């Protein structure tokens, strides 16, 4: 045994050196801050909103914001799960329309519209969720089992599902939905819309799952380095399959909330949402390359976008200009989050 | 070597293992027997089949034929990862650390502590991680993102993780390739401690000296076959090299080099350069001169070299190549000024693994291989074939992806890229890391040839073999120049200077 080894051994017997107080707390603060990067921006927007219009901080206005974002927020949550695992799912926006669309198709009474009326209305919610499961499973088979490129697979799926909805609806809107389909989009629980409760609860579950379960951490590991994850005994294929299915079910649920609130399923429901979804996730700190980002960050991302939209509406910005402003806001938000996080975005 | 030790079943016994990949035979009737408590070296040149054997021993690949037993029992089923991990742990050459996760999480990935309600107990995970690292004397904050660690510390974390699985048989696949002398010493003292606890090691290394330092038995593979297994004490260095190469010889003594023209204008002039981890360094390198920059990890040697080529931006100071100042912190400007370089970590900065040899090797000179901004495939191919020939790269052709090459041949591609532009100044950072003895000698002879053509060469390394051909060696310690050794130094002189033992200039 060499001298160095003995020296090391005796070093180990010594009590642990006190933590370097200068460094560790700083790291903790930094780690937490990354998650809260957008909070100052949200506060700033709230102040501006209040200056623009005293209506902004009204309870009704705030609830309105939360309710209108609750449906798309579920898409953001779904996309965040998939992105963290290092994949992407473009087809979520089509599932968002198709799942409630098929439920409406099967349950709305035949007559004026395109409804078949073959099933009782009580089946509408289970059918919606089932469509979500099937779409997710189809994506998983193509991406995980056959190893096809996720971007292209889900792009193809986006087009197919959109086309299916147009096909079954004849390009028209389903009305007269069964009451069970309307419930979640219209009910009010304890003074807040049910969809807001549901959205907040699912985000809370998302935070816990991604931060505090082995399954959630496996998503980060797979997104960071799939080979290393496999070497650590993570069943990569199984985890990816589950996450793709869960994401599609969340999208179906989001679509159900919107259909309930609007009491209809339009053929274009969800069309173009995916861009806002990606923007919100990335602004919220989720990496497009996988392995980085949090559910809470993604929530602040979508919240920020919807607060800004609301402020613009209250400021009576002409509707024709909102699109251009939205795009500009997304770019500005990206620049700001780059500055505040201090790291290059992937 | 007591009798009862030999009587116990071998920790691992591989018999008549064969494995083919397409038309390539990776292993042919190869065998290996490792007995309990041994530290067993597995040596062989690049392509001898070591890596394939390791992936078979760790259950990542199934042999086409042959039998594998652990402690007398048959190997676990190929899908039983936990079963394999109980038998054998491996620190691979390629990092299996996930850069976007914290050190603590990497250590306990997929086996994190769970508290109430089945949720992860993060304080518990961090505490266990701190304990684990403290046990192995690794001074790393467990909250750090693993991607922010230096190569050396990342590897230490990996070694600690492999040990933490509790297996009594540990494979170290070139663990020292990217470590400096001090880190290697720490690793070796750790290995010795574990040897005392009857942990068995299979140690794969290109450094024959390490084999003699740390191992008691050595097995040599050559051309996919088992050649010999013997106690290291009975196999002198010359015989070992002969077994590896099929002929006698070691690293040939550095040949005489022509005297450098002291009156010539220096190709490289560095004045009062201050940068990451080093301060106020000045140095000149004349045409045809090979200057070594030695130093332990953290001495600033790598940072100095990276600053000169433009990978890092200096705080102040100037760099002049061929009389013209080079824009600091700009690799493009460095290349334009005639700097060719071999970066420290070939996997990260040296090549694009999925691109072909031709594309990688001509990356720095793509502008010259065609007109109007277009690249001529024909000229790229011709250029690459010339490089493959001059550097003796073992490949089926210039179109093969670099990923498919062995470590030594990958490094040759990186060297080819550095030489492609016929640089005035060649900067090499650990140019022979993870490369077998023959390829090492070959690469260094190419450096010599470049110097003979008038190229100024800077070699930043702590590898004595890399520094031996240098006309003089500058030694850095904690960012300052502490010694300058002319050619013909003794190993202990240089090592002492690198460890900061004699601080005189």
């Amino acid at each position: 045994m060499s001298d160095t080894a003995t020296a090391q051994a005796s070093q180990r017997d010594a009590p642990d050196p006190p933590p370097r107080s200068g460094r560790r707390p700083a790291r903790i603060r930094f780690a937490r801050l990354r998650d809260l990067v957008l909070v100052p921006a949200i506060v700033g927007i709230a102040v501006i909103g209040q200056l623009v219009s005293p209506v902004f901080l009204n309870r009704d206005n705030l609830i309105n914001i939360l309710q209108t974002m609750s449906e798309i927020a579920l898409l953001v949550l779904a996309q965040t799960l998939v992105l963290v695992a290092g994949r992407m799912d473009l087809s979520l926006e089509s599932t968002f329309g198709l799942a409630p669309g098929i439920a409406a198709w099967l349950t709305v009474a035949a007559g004026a519209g395109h409804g078949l009326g073959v099933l009782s209305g009580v089946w509408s919610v289970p059918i919606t969720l089932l469509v979500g499961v099937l779409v997710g499973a189809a994506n998983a088979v193509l991406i995980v089992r056959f190893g096809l490129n996720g971007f292209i697979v889900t792009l193809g799926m986006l087009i197919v599902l959109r086309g299916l909805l147009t096909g079954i609806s004849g390009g028209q809107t389903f009305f007269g939905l069964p009451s069970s389909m309307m419930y979640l989009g219209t009910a009010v629980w304890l003074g807040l819309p049910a969809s807001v409760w549901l959205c907040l609860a699912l985000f809370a579950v998302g935070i816990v799952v991604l931060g505090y379960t082995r399954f959630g951490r496996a998503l980060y590991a797979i997104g960071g380095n799939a080979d290393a994850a496999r070497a650590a005994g993570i069943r990569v294929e199984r985890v990816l399959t589950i996450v793709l299915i869960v994401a599609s079910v969340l999208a179906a649920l989001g679509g159900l909330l919107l259909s309930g609130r609007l009491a209809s399923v339009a053929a274009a429901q969800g069309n173009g949402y995916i861009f806002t979804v990606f923007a919100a996730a990335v602004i919220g700190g989720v990496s497009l390359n996988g392995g980085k980002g949090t559910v809470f960050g993604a929530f602040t991302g979508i919240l920020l976008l919807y607060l800004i939209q609301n402020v613009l509406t209250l400021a009576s910005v002409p509707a024709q200009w909102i699109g251009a402003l939205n795009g500009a806001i997304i770019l500005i938000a990206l620049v700001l989050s780059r500055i505040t996080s201090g790291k290059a975005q992937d | 070597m007591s009798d009862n030790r030999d009587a116990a079943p071998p920790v691992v016994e591989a018999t008549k293992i064969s494995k083919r990949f397409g038309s390539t035979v990776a292993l042919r009737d190869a065998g290996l027997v490792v007995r309990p408590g041994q530290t067993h070296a597995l040596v062989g040149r690049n392509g001898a089949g070591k890596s394939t054997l390791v992936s078979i021993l760790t259950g990542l690949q199934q042999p086409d034929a042959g039998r594998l037993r652990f402690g007398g029992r048959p190997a676990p089923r190929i899908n039983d990862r936990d079963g394999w991990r109980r038998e054998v742990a491996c620190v691979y050459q390629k990092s299996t650390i996930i850069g976007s996760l914290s050190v603590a999480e990497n250590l306990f990935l997929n086996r994190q502590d769970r508290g109430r309600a089945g949720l992860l107990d993060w304080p518990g995970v961090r505490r266990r991680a701190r304990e684990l690292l403290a046990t192995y004397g690794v001074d790393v904050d467990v909250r750090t993102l693993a991607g922010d660690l230096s190569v050396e510390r990342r590897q230490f974390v990996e070694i600690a993780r492999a040990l933490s699985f509790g297996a009594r048989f540990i494979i170290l696949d070139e663990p020292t390739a990217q470590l400096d002398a001090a880190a290697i010493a720490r690793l070796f003292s750790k290995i010795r401690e574990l040897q005392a606890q009857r942990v068995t090691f299979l140690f794969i290394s290109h450094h024959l000296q390490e084999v003699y330092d740390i191992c008691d038995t050595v097995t040599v593979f050559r051309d996919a076959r088992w050649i010999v297994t013997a106690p290291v004490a009975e196999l002198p260095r010359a015989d070992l090299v002969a077994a590896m190469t099929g002929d006698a010889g070691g690293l040939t003594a550095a040949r005489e080099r022509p005297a450098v023209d002291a009156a010539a204008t220096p190709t490289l002039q560095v004045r009062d350069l201050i940068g990451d981890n080093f301060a106020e360094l000045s140095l000149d390198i004349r045409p045809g001169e090979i200057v070594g920059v030695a130093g332990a990890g953290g001495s600033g040697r790598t940072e100095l070299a990276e600053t000169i080529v433009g990978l890092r931006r200096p705080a102040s100071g100037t760099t002049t190549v061929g009389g013209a100042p080079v824009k600091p912190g700009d690799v493009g400007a460095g290349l334009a000024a005639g700097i060719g370089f071999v970066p420290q970590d070939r996997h990260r900065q040296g090549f694009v693994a999925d691109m072909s040899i031709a594309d990688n090797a001509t990356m720095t000179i793509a502008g010259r291989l065609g007109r109007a901004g277009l690249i001529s495939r024909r000229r790229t191919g011709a250029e690459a074939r010339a490089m493959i020939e001059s550097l003796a790269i073992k490949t089926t052709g210039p179109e093969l992806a670099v990923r498919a090459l062995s470590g030594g041949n990958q490094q040759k591609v990186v060297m080819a890229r550095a030489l492609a532009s016929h640089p005035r100044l060649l900067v090499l950072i650990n140019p022979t890391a993870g490369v077998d003895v023959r390829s090492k000698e070959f690469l260094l002879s190419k450096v010599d040839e470049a110097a003979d053509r008038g190229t100024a060469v800077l070699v930043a390394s702590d590898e004595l073999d890399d520094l031996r051909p240098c006309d003089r060696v500058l030694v850095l310690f904690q960012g300052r120049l502490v010694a300058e050794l002319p050619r013909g130094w003794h190993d202990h002189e240089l090592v002492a200077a690198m460890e900061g033992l004699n601080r005189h200039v």
Side-chain angles (χ1 to χ4, degrees):
Chain A
M1 186 82 21
S2 75
D3 290 344
T4 44
T6 356
Q8 278 206 342
S10 60
Q11 225 171 38
R12 260 194 296 110
D13 294 337
D16 276 356
R20 284 152 301 178
S21 47
R23 280 171 57 196
R24 278 197 182 144
R27 280 234 177 87
I28 299 167
R29 253 184 282 127
F30 180 68
R32 297 249 161 94
L33 271 182
R34 273 198 64 132
D35 233 14
L36 303 178
V37 156
L38 291 185
V39 171
I42 289 171
V43 173
I45 290 297
V47 171
I48 294 171
Q50 190 63 14
L51 293 178
V52 165
S53 161
V55 177
F56 181 77
L57 285 184
N58 265 2
R59 185 186 145 81
D60 284 349
N61 187 48
L62 292 179
I63 290 178
N64 177 39
I65 296 173
L66 285 178
Q67 185 168 20
T68 44
M69 73 169 246
S70 65
E71 301 103 8
I72 198 170
L74 292 187
L75 287 183
V76 174
L77 176 60
Q79 194 66 263
T80 300
L81 302 180
V82 179
L83 282 174
V84 164
R87 307 293 158 127
M88 50 179 70
D89 187 350
L90 302 175
S91 65
L92 291 176
E93 70 157 42
S94 293
T95 311
F96 187 82
L98 181 67
I102 288 190
W105 183 49
L106 294 176
T107 55
V108 170
H114 274 74
L116 297 178
V118 292
L119 288 174
S120 139
V122 295
W123 289 100
S124 55
V125 173
I127 288 170
T128 306
L129 300 180
L130 180 67
V131 171
V133 171
L134 293 177
V135 171
N139 280 333
V141 166
L142 293 174
I143 297 172
V144 181
R145 177 68 61 83
F146 295 137
L148 303 181
N149 178 294
F151 180 88
I152 302 299
V153 164
T154 57
L155 179 64
M157 198 59 96
L158 177 150
I159 298 166
V160 168
L161 301 181
R162 174 70 52 213
L164 278 179
L165 179 57
T166 312
I168 60 170
S169 67
Q172 291 167 355
T173 301
F174 290 106
F175 288 107
L177 305 183
S179 59
S180 67
M181 262 186 100
M182 315 261 283
Y183 178 74
L184 285 176
T186 51
V188 174
W189 297 339
L190 304 175
L192 275 181
S195 60
V196 172
W197 283 116
L198 207 55
C199 170
L200 294 178
L202 287 170
F203 266 90
V205 170
I207 289 170
V208 171
V209 168
L210 259 68
Y212 296 92
T213 66
R214 284 191 188 170
F215 178 82
R217 302 315 295 176
L219 295 185
Y220 285 90
I222 293 168
N225 179 346
D227 289 334
R230 199 169 279 120
I234 291 171
R235 279 180 269 190
V236 174
E237 283 72 22
R238 202 174 83 159
V239 172
L240 283 176
T241 302
I242 292 174
V243 87
L244 285 169
I245 292 176
V246 167
S248 285
V249 170
L250 283 171
L253 184 61
L256 180 69
L257 296 184
L258 183 66
S259 299
R261 179 156 65 88
L262 303 179
S264 64
V265 185
Q269 177 163 317
N271 200 359
Y273 275 32
I274 204 70
F275 303 107
T276 312
V277 168
F278 269 103
V282 173
I283 290 169
V286 180
S287 163
L288 294 182
N289 284 349
K292 286 180 204 157
T294 63
V295 170
F296 182 79
F299 182 78
T300 59
I302 188 70
L303 180 63
L304 182 66
L305 288 182
Y306 268 72
L307 286 178
I308 293 172
Q309 270 191 31
N310 184 258
V311 171
L312 291 178
T313 315
L314 290 179
S316 333
V317 172
Q320 294 87 338
W321 285 97
I322 295 253
L325 283 171
N326 262 337
I329 286 159
I330 289 170
L331 294 178
I332 293 168
L334 281 175
V335 171
L336 285 180
S337 61
R338 166 74 174 85
I339 292 168
T340 41
S341 74
K343 284 199 174 172
Q345 280 150 359
D346 313 300
Chain B
M1 319 275 155
S2 61
D3 289 336
N4 63 1
R5 178 160 142 181
D6 287 344
V11 175
V12 63
E13 184 179 17
T15 11
K16 297 241 170 227
I17 302 275
S18 292
K19 179 82 186 170
R20 306 171 70 92
F21 298 104
S23 60
T24 320
V25 179
L27 284 175
R28 180 175 291 147
D29 290 340
L32 180 73
V33 177
V34 181
R35 301 206 167 271
Q38 266 184 349
T39 297
H40 196 118
L42 177 62
V43 299
R45 299 182 57 192
N46 293 322
K50 294 169 299 180
S51 299
T52 310
L53 184 65
V54 168
S55 54
I56 288 172
L57 290 181
T58 51
L60 293 184
Q61 276 170 354
Q62 231 164 348
D64 298 336
R67 200 183 59 153
L68 182 59
R69 294 174 84 81
F70 290 101
R73 299 176 304 279
R77 283 177 304 106
I78 204 82
N79 290 325
D80 182 10
R81 290 305 309 156
D82 285 335
W84 283 93
R85 266 204 295 267
R86 276 190 297 275
E87 300 290 357
V88 49
C90 182
V91 178
Y92 295 98
Q93 210 175 333
K94 275 190 200 133
S95 174
T96 55
I97 287 283
I98 298 170
S100 51
L101 299 183
S102 72
V103 168
E105 188 162 10
N106 268 292
L107 287 172
F108 293 103
L109 190 59
N110 209 29
R111 51 186 180 131
Q112 298 101 329
D113 296 79
R114 281 192 279 210
R116 274 172 303 158
L119 297 183
L120 300 187
D121 169 21
W122 283 114
V125 170
R126 284 193 286 268
R127 192 180 55 247
R128 269 213 299 160
R130 268 194 292 274
E131 286 165 7
L132 174 65
L133 292 182
T135 310
Y136 298 114
V138 181
D139 177 30
V140 170
D141 185 339
V142 298
R143 291 169 195 265
T144 321
L145 286 186
D148 292 342
L149 296 179
S150 64
V151 175
E152 169 195 341
R153 295 187 153 202
R154 199 165 64 214
Q155 190 143 27
F156 259 61
V157 168
E158 274 191 89
I159 291 171
R161 182 176 63 178
L163 294 167
S164 74
F165 281 103
R168 306 268 80 192
F169 173 47
I170 293 178
I171 301 176
L172 302 172
D173 189 1
E174 285 185 44
T176 61
Q178 295 179 47
L179 299 184
D180 65 25
I184 291 173
R186 284 197 292 277
L187 170 67
F188 280 12
S189 62
K190 175 49 56 191
I191 291 178
R192 291 201 183 91
E193 278 177 46
L194 291 164
Q195 280 172 343
Q197 298 167 30
R198 308 269 295 159
V199 173
T200 309
F201 286 95
L202 183 65
F203 186 91
I204 298 171
S205 177
H206 284 310
H207 296 254
L208 300 188
Q209 191 52 49
E210 291 174 2
V211 170
Y212 287 97
D213 285 349
I214 198 83
C215 299
D216 45 45
T217 313
V218 56
T219 291
V220 180
F221 272 43
R222 185 175 76 226
D223 298 334
R225 292 168 194 276
W226 172 86
I227 300 297
V228 65
T229 296
V232 287
E234 294 168 20
L235 197 66
R237 200 178 160 106
D239 293 355
L240 179 57
V241 172
M244 287 168 65
T245 60
D247 56 50
L251 255 195
T252 42
R255 67 184 180 83
E256 276 310 302
R257 290 187 27 80
V260 174
D261 180 3
T265 322
T267 304
L268 173 72
Q269 285 181 297
V270 172
R271 287 292 171 269
D272 302 324
L273 200 62
I274 302 180
D276 303 334
N277 281 346
F278 66 89
E280 288 192 42
L281 287 174
S282 298
L283 66 102
D284 286 352
I285 305 182
R286 289 170 211 289
E289 188 179 25
I290 307 180
V291 174
V293 174
S299 66
R301 99 185 112 81
T302 307
E303 290 84 351
L304 172 64
E306 290 182 348
T307 307
I308 290 173
V309 302
L311 280 172
R312 291 169 186 264
R313 185 180 289 277
S316 72
T318 58
T319 305
T320 333
V321 173
V326 183
K327 191 176 166 206
D330 182 342
V331 176
L335 292 173
I339 302 178
F341 74 99
V342 170
Q344 176 179 33
D345 184 342
R346 63 171 173 258
H347 295 286
R348 262 165 62 176
Q349 300 162 322
F351 53 73
V352 184
D354 286 324
M355 272 167 51
S356 69
I357 297 173
D359 286 336
N360 269 292
T362 58
M363 205 182 279
T364 53
I365 55 164
R368 294 215 308 258
L369 295 177
R371 265 171 300 190
L374 301 175
I375 296 173
S376 152
R377 302 303 310 171
R378 195 173 48 76
R379 290 179 61 188
T380 305
E383 191 82 26
R385 267 188 293 277
M387 289 179 192
I388 288 170
E389 191 168 334
S390 97
L391 283 164
I393 298 170
K394 260 194 207 167
T395 169
T396 52
E399 294 311 318
L400 194 69
V402 170
R403 184 185 293 285
L405 297 177
S406 68
N409 283 305
Q410 288 178 345
Q411 189 69 7
K412 286 181 182 175
V413 172
V414 180
M415 182 71 95
R417 190 182 75 166
L419 292 170
S421 56
H422 302 292
R424 277 194 281 198
L425 171 67
L426 191 57
V427 176
L428 310 169
I429 307 173
N430 292 349
T432 63
V435 163
D436 74 66
V437 62
R438 281 279 167 243
S439 305
K440 186 182 272 189
E441 195 175 322
F442 185 82
L443 285 167
L444 293 175
S445 75
K446 285 289 150 187
V447 174
D448 251 13
E449 276 174 30
D452 288 347
R453 288 195 301 268
T455 306
V457 183
L458 185 145
V459 182
S461 177
D462 62 346
E463 186 63 55
L464 299 188
D465 285 340
D466 292 351
L467 298 167
R468 214 158 268 137
C470 296
D471 295 308
R472 57 197 167 96
V473 176
L474 308 175
V475 184
L476 298 189
F477 183 74
Q478 295 179 350
R480 300 194 174 272
L481 186 64
V482 292
E484 177 168 343
L485 303 175
R487 207 172 155 71
W489 36 264
H490 290 288
D491 288 5
H492 60 86
E493 250 184 299
L494 184 59
V495 172
M498 278 164 52
E499 301 298 326
L501 296 180
N502 56 340
R503 294 190 208 172
H504 62 83
V505 178

